Amino acid sequence: MTERYVWDLQEVDETQVAVVGGKGAHLGGLSRIEGIRVPGGFCVTTDAFRRIMVEAPSLDDRLDQLSRLNPDDREAIRALSAEIRRTIEGIAVPGDLAAAITRALARLGEQAACAVRSSATAEDLPTASFAGQQDTYLNVVGPTAILQHVSRCWASLFTERAVIYRQRNGIDHRTVHMAVVVQRMVFPHAAGILFTADPVTGNRKVATVDAGFGLGEALVSGLVNPDVFKVRHGEVVAKAIAAKQRAVHALPAGGTQEVAIDSQRQEQPALTDAQVVRLVQLGRLIEAHFGRPQDIEWCLVDGGFQIVQSRPITTLFPLPETGDQENHVYVSVGHGQMMTDPMKPLGLSMWQLTAMVPMHTAGGRLFVDVTRRLASPASRAGLLDVLGRGDPLIRDALETVLDRDDFVPSLPDARPGGPPGRGASAPIETDPAIVTELIERSQVSIAALERDIRTKTGPALFDFLLEAFEEHKRVLSDPLSMQAIMAGMEATWWLNDTLQEWLDEKNAADTLTLSAPDNVTSEMGLALLDVADVIRPHSEVVAFLRGVEDEGFLDELAKLTGGTEARDAIETYLDRYGMRCVGEIDITRPRWRERPTTLVPVILDNVRNFEPGAAERRFEQGRQKAQKKEQDVLSRLRALPDGDRKADEAKRMIDRVRTFIGYREYPKYGIVSRYFVYKQALLEEAERLVQANVLPEKEDIFYLTFQELHDVVRSNQVDDRLIQQRKDAFRSYHALTPPRVLTSDGEAVTGAYRRDDVPAGALIGLPVSAGTIEGRARVILDIAEADLEAGDILVTTFTDPSWSPLFVGIAGLVTEVGGQMTHGAVIAREYGLPAVVGVEQATRLIRDGQRIRVHGTDGYVEILP
């Protein structure tokens, strides 16, 4: 097929991104929508760009150099990208290509004023917004100027910001090509941007219009503040009219110029309400055509609207698919499970298949639909109570939604729903044998799973796993297990509430639960101190571990003095805890057993920061502190009126909390243990698919749901494009912040603490472990990069059980996500670390190395000078 260098806008649509780039494809699609006017024009195709790149052989070497540069080496990128741009702009446009462009221009009118606009093939995609990455030139007049500006657009593929953006997003420079859109220039009375969903709240039913006088460049460049209108259900529901002192106008001979606006016009709205409503109607047509909310650039010309660009709004959190038009309220599962990162499709579907309640997916995260439970007054109270104790921000967000007129329907209390409120669980004896029996039951069930799965392969494995998931849920929903968990939590609540009332003591349970027995997560942290004790005497082993990068390092250890003991200690640890990892609810995440190097920095910190026998000492100190606190509380209670009764009640609750609170961590350990067994079986299946040339690599199965993987194993066929789309989508989900509460209107509701009892400037959170500590903040987002000194305060987004080995070496904890009973809070209390969780944006507001004071009793953090 011969190359074609020019296409008319009317000939292209959004399927032709590879030919005319994102902007050209969207403009072509727009021009086909009935009722939408787009300024006429043509596209100079990517074939033309490729032809130009071939004209300068030196570009090849420079692109190789560019791809080798570090994205943070701004100086080198700036110099090399400027050189590439100069080279491209210096290439004479070949005669046949120049003739094709000039012929197309003649159809618009040779001296017509035009806009010359870059249109890259990796631009305006659903998963990445390249807005502003490349260049646009307005009011360009005459063939010579047009050709010159087309060259500039080609060169703008290599602006410094575009190069850095691609490198940071893992996009190969050679895979992106540049088309150029040349359109007849419009000279608008007003221009601006229309978002068909509210870009701040995410609400899909609220459109936002930004408007100013003259060309839209004044708004885009930040020269003026726009008028802002909000439209819902066809009417303007809010507006803010700005003083617009300047505008950008076109000059007759070409180019643009800033002009001052008459003082009488400055505070006039750029659009009437009727025009705003009409514009939003057009926006809804465009949104329907592209199938997702749009960010649209518009111009008002002679009383009518022309659309000059439309791209997806990539910052909106996606919505769960419901298949109905009803209102829904969703609560984030990740905030409760301490895992707000996106999960891969296999991870999402495995959690859905093994969870106790139906779960929906959006943006790579899991959500529970709580609409029905909120609709009935009885279940609503219980739900708000339980969720509020876990995370007050979720409760506040739900109450914000409930305060909206009629968003959540009211239903009668016909059917019970939701988790029980306090005190609703059946009573259970305070007997340590119950916990022993529950742990034994879980271990027997996991041993049976490990034994029975060994012989299963192919489709039979999937049938077996579906049965295993039912057993998984049976173990999770064991009534005795639920009673034990609730007994520990309710005893904690009782002690905190009652001792505050009787003794004016805040969070007394935090000290009373120190070194509680049977806590598998806190034992995991202490056990790594024991591993450090084995390694510490052997300087050769310590030196070797400092340079470890390869996952096969355990085999190498045996060659060193003391290495066999070190290897055995680490292996024993991995046998008990190797199924754990950060983000462990996602089965696709690499486990410690698969990637033992993850533990090496923590082991080395323990070798450096602790003396031998630290684990036993820590546990014993905590136990004695709890015992002393118990004696203190009971003696103070006995001195009160009716003191013996109060002391007896408190003693019963203290015994109860110490019996059951450690077990709170065990069910998660059981889930993750089972997950590792499932994962190993599925990866063996993946290995067979690789051997049969069905898949290029084992980890590709992570981008399929469980059912899709089952189908692939049955048919020995896979849709490569689907896997690639899933990989692109997963990459894009990392840029999204999951909301605690999400409505079916798309609104992300964050919630607030609504407190006035903290010092000005303090960061508010939830107090989960008592005490006050001052120290150096270590902002750590990846456990493998932890480098902690004694006395440091860990600041991170969330901590799941895999972080607990770090807890033995820190003095305090601050997280962005968490609640009273989430893992980080439980382990912080176990180890006696002052902790505040649920501190919004803590990792951005606190800088690594700053001194901070953590008020674990009152729930706030001060940044110290």
Side-chain angles (χ1 to χ4, degrees):
M1 191 180 118
T2 57
E3 281 142 349
R4 184 167 166 198
Y5 297 131
V6 174
W7 291 71
D8 193 272
L9 263 186
Q10 299 280 342
E11 296 178 272
V12 299
D13 63 25
E14 53 273 31
T15 64
Q16 287 158 294
V17 172
V19 180
V20 294
K23 188 177 290 161
H26 273 80
L27 284 166
L30 282 166
S31 65
R32 289 161 177 247
I33 305 171
E34 199 172 332
I36 302 298
R37 290 168 61 205
V38 175
F42 59 90
C43 300
V44 182
T45 65
T46 51
D47 282 340
F49 173 76
R50 277 189 285 267
R51 167 97 180 264
I52 289 295
M53 295 297 276
V54 170
E55 297 280 325
S58 65
L59 284 171
D60 235 23
D61 293 342
R62 287 175 185 158
L63 286 180
D64 285 340
Q65 279 175 268
L66 195 61
S67 60
R68 286 195 294 269
L69 292 177
N70 184 320
D72 296 324
D73 190 349
R74 307 281 303 237
E75 274 310 306
I77 288 175
R78 183 174 301 138
L80 189 52
S81 56
E83 211 178 298
I84 293 171
R85 287 199 306 278
R86 276 197 303 277
T87 305
I88 294 171
E89 286 186 41
I91 297 169
V93 179
D96 57 335
L97 175 48
I101 293 171
T102 309
R103 274 197 304 277
L105 185 60
R107 289 195 292 276
L108 290 181
E110 200 166 273
Q111 292 304 308
C114 292
V116 182
R117 313 172 72 192
S118 310
S119 180
T121 53
E123 180 179 11
D124 298 344
L125 305 179
T127 55
S129 176
F130 286 67
Q133 297 291 326
Q134 285 94 28
D135 293 345
T136 284
Y137 302 97
L138 299 178
N139 203 28
V140 182
V141 180
T144 307
I146 295 279
L147 287 171
Q148 184 189 4
H149 285 86
V150 167
S151 286
R152 284 187 186 169
C153 283
W154 287 329
S156 76
L157 191 62
F158 297 97
T159 60
E160 183 191 344
R161 64 182 182 273
V163 166
I164 290 171
Y165 187 90
R166 287 196 294 272
Q167 282 181 282
R168 292 231 160 102
N169 284 277
I171 296 165
D172 181 349
H173 300 300
R174 292 172 192 278
T175 62
V176 184
H177 299 115
M178 181 65 85
V180 182
V181 176
V182 179
Q183 273 178 294
R184 187 188 293 279
M185 185 74 192
V186 291
F187 301 100
H189 164 77
I193 299 162
L194 156 64
F195 298 96
T196 63
D198 189 317
V200 178
T201 67
N203 195 323
R204 308 306 202 259
K205 293 193 174 161
V206 175
T208 302
V209 174
D210 289 5
F213 293 121
L215 292 165
E217 297 309 289
L219 305 189
V220 175
S221 64
L223 181 64
V224 295
N225 289 328
D227 297 339
V228 181
F229 302 85
K230 292 197 181 293
V231 176
R232 186 184 175 102
H233 299 318
E235 62 176 306
V236 176
V237 291
K239 60 179 160 182
I241 307 304
K244 299 169 288 296
Q245 295 171 343
R246 307 190 73 69
V248 173
H249 284 174
L251 292 167
T256 61
Q257 166 184 52
E258 278 179 40
V259 295
I261 294 175
D262 299 351
S263 53
Q264 296 92 335
R265 274 185 75 216
Q266 285 178 9
E267 304 214 9
Q268 275 180 14
L271 295 177
T272 65
D273 283 10
Q275 285 171 326
V276 170
V277 169
R278 170 75 190 127
L279 176 60
V280 170
Q281 285 170 346
L282 297 175
R284 294 285 176 227
L285 285 176
I286 294 167
E287 178 181 67
H289 175 83
F290 289 119
R292 54 189 302 152
Q294 297 287 302
D295 160 354
I296 298 165
E297 291 179 28
W298 55 269
C299 296
L300 180 65
V301 187
D302 302 329
F305 288 104
Q306 299 212 23
I307 305 299
V308 294
Q309 189 162 339
S310 184
R311 65 170 79 90
I313 308 176
T314 56
T315 53
L316 295 177
F317 200 85
L319 292 176
E321 287 178 19
T322 57
D324 64 37
Q325 297 301 308
E326 305 295 314
N327 288 350
H328 294 269
V329 181
Y330 303 97
V331 170
S332 161
V333 173
H335 285 80
Q337 288 294 338
M338 298 294 90
M339 162 60 175
T340 54
D341 291 346
M343 294 166 68
K344 296 190 179 95
L346 186 64
L348 291 166
S349 67
M350 293 288 276
W351 193 264
Q352 286 174 301
L353 287 164
T354 51
M356 303 309 299
V357 293
M359 291 189 177
H360 304 263
T361 65
R365 277 77 167 192
L366 291 161
F367 292 87
V368 173
D369 186 343
V370 295
T371 321
R372 285 197 71 85
R373 281 182 266 172
L374 286 176
S376 143
S379 59
R380 179 190 309 152
L383 180 75
L384 291 174
D385 186 39
V386 170
L387 290 178
R389 283 189 172 274
D391 184 338
L393 292 176
I394 288 181
R395 178 181 184 134
D396 187 77
L398 289 173
E399 286 175 336
T400 302
V401 175
L402 287 166
D403 287 343
R404 308 249 166 91
D405 293 347
D406 302 333
F407 188 82
V408 177
S410 243
L411 295 175
D413 292 333
R415 50 193 280 271
R422 287 175 61 199
S425 55
I428 181 176
E429 289 301 310
T430 302
D431 179 1
I434 292 173
V435 172
T436 309
E437 184 195 336
L438 283 167
I439 289 173
E440 235 166 70
R441 280 188 203 177
S442 175
Q443 287 171 339
V444 167
S445 174
I446 290 165
L449 171 68
E450 287 175 329
R451 184 189 65 234
D452 297 343
I453 204 168
R454 281 188 199 125
T455 56
K456 306 293 188 288
T457 61
L461 170 67
F462 289 82
D463 296 338
F464 172 81
L465 282 172
L466 287 170
E467 286 173 33
F469 298 162
E470 292 311 307
E471 165 68 1
H472 181 125
K473 289 196 269 195
R474 191 193 64 71
V475 172
L476 264 187
S477 59
D478 180 339
L480 190 63
S481 177
M482 307 290 275
Q483 287 170 328
I485 291 168
M486 286 310 290
M489 285 164 62
E490 285 170 354
T492 305
W493 296 337
W494 188 94
L495 286 165
N496 281 339
D497 292 353
T498 311
L499 296 181
Q500 179 153 14
E501 187 189 325
W502 288 348
L503 298 175
D504 198 26
E505 172 127 13
K506 279 185 183 174
N507 299 356
D510 294 1
T511 310
L512 293 165
T513 53
L514 288 172
S515 298
D518 299 311
N519 188 319
V520 69
T521 310
S522 64
E523 286 165 9
M524 179 169 75
L526 296 174
L528 208 58
L529 287 175
D530 291 336
V531 172
D533 285 356
V534 174
I535 289 167
R536 193 179 291 106
H538 304 294
S539 56
E540 208 183 330
V541 172
V542 173
F544 170 76
L545 288 177
R546 285 201 183 109
V548 155
E549 285 179 4
D550 181 8
E551 296 303 342
F553 75 94
L554 287 169
D555 296 333
E556 299 293 310
L557 271 176
K559 301 170 188 170
L560 309 173
T561 308
T564 305
E565 297 96 299
R567 185 192 62 194
D568 292 350
I570 295 172
E571 283 285 1
T572 303
Y573 186 86
L574 289 172
D575 286 344
R576 180 140 166 76
Y577 304 111
M579 78 296 285
R580 309 221 82 152
C581 67
V582 172
E584 60 194 8
I585 70 168
D586 182 352
I587 196 172
T588 72
R589 289 285 191 107
R591 312 281 134 178
W592 290 344
R593 171 53 83 188
E594 297 169 305
R595 203 174 280 176
T597 52
T598 311
L599 292 173
V600 171
V602 193
I603 293 171
L604 289 171
D605 279 351
N606 288 350
V607 166
R608 188 177 70 236
N609 294 334
F610 291 93
E611 296 295 317
E616 201 176 329
R617 272 197 311 280
R618 286 286 296 264
F619 189 80
E620 188 51 32
Q621 283 164 359
R623 203 182 62 74
Q624 287 180 12
K625 220 170 165 183
Q627 212 168 8
K628 195 163 160 251
K629 183 70 171 176
E630 177 180 330
Q631 289 161 357
D632 169 57
V633 162
L634 296 179
S635 67
R636 284 162 62 201
L637 285 174
R638 285 196 187 96
L640 297 175
D642 198 15
D644 286 347
R645 179 189 64 80
K646 287 175 176 166
D648 287 348
E649 266 191 73
K651 171 65 177 153
R652 270 203 312 277
M653 284 301 183
I654 291 167
D655 290 347
R656 200 163 172 75
V657 85
R658 288 195 69 78
T659 299
F660 292 116
I661 202 65
Y663 177 72
R664 164 81 179 77
E665 291 292 296
Y666 201 86
K668 182 81 173 280
Y669 176 78
I671 290 171
V672 175
S673 300
R674 299 178 80 89
Y675 262 29
F676 194 36
V677 180
Y678 306 152
K679 181 179 188 178
Q680 287 169 305
L682 290 171
L683 281 174
E684 282 174 30
E685 212 53 52
E687 184 56 48
R688 279 189 280 278
L689 292 169
V690 171
Q691 297 301 326
N693 291 321
V694 178
L695 287 176
E697 46 194 62
K698 282 196 303 189
E699 282 74 20
D700 284 351
I701 67 166
F702 297 161
Y703 296 94
L704 298 170
T705 65
F706 180 81
Q707 187 55 55
E708 287 166 349
L709 178 54
H710 190 175
D711 295 341
V712 169
V713 167
R714 264 206 308 258
S715 67
N716 260 6
Q717 288 181 310
V718 72
D719 181 347
D720 297 331
R721 277 175 325 189
L722 176 68
I723 288 177
Q724 191 52 53
Q725 281 167 3
R726 295 271 177 79
K727 286 180 178 178
D728 292 343
F730 177 70
R731 196 181 301 121
S732 75
Y733 293 152
H734 282 278
L736 300 172
T737 302
R740 281 178 166 81
V741 171
L742 179 67
T743 73
S744 48
D745 282 357
E747 190 172 359
V749 193
T750 48
Y753 284 108
R754 309 193 193 283
R755 286 174 55 187
D756 52 12
D757 58 342
V758 297
L763 309 180
I764 302 175
L766 182 65
V768 294
S769 186
T772 300
I773 191 74
E774 210 173 284
R776 177 178 72 152
R778 292 311 317 271
V779 180
I780 296 172
L781 302 179
D782 179 352
I783 191 171
E785 287 166 17
D787 178 17
L788 294 162
E789 301 286 346
D792 283 348
I793 296 167
L794 173 62
V795 180
T796 189
T797 43
F798 58 80
T799 61
D800 58 13
S802 70
W803 286 74
S804 52
L806 291 188
F807 284 25
V808 296
I810 58 175
L813 173 71
V814 179
T815 67
E816 294 182 349
V817 174
Q820 278 284 359
M821 286 295 163
T822 47
H823 305 279
V826 172
I827 305 308
R829 290 194 288 273
E830 280 275 319
Y831 290 164
L833 301 173
V836 180
V837 302
V839 180
E840 289 277 84
Q841 299 194 359
T843 59
R844 293 189 191 96
L845 298 171
I846 299 170
R847 288 197 310 278
D848 188 50
Q850 274 185 320
R851 285 195 70 75
I852 60 173
R853 188 180 298 130
V854 177
H855 296 263
T857 310
D858 294 312
Y860 64 92
V861 180
E862 290 179 282
I863 298 174
L864 302 174

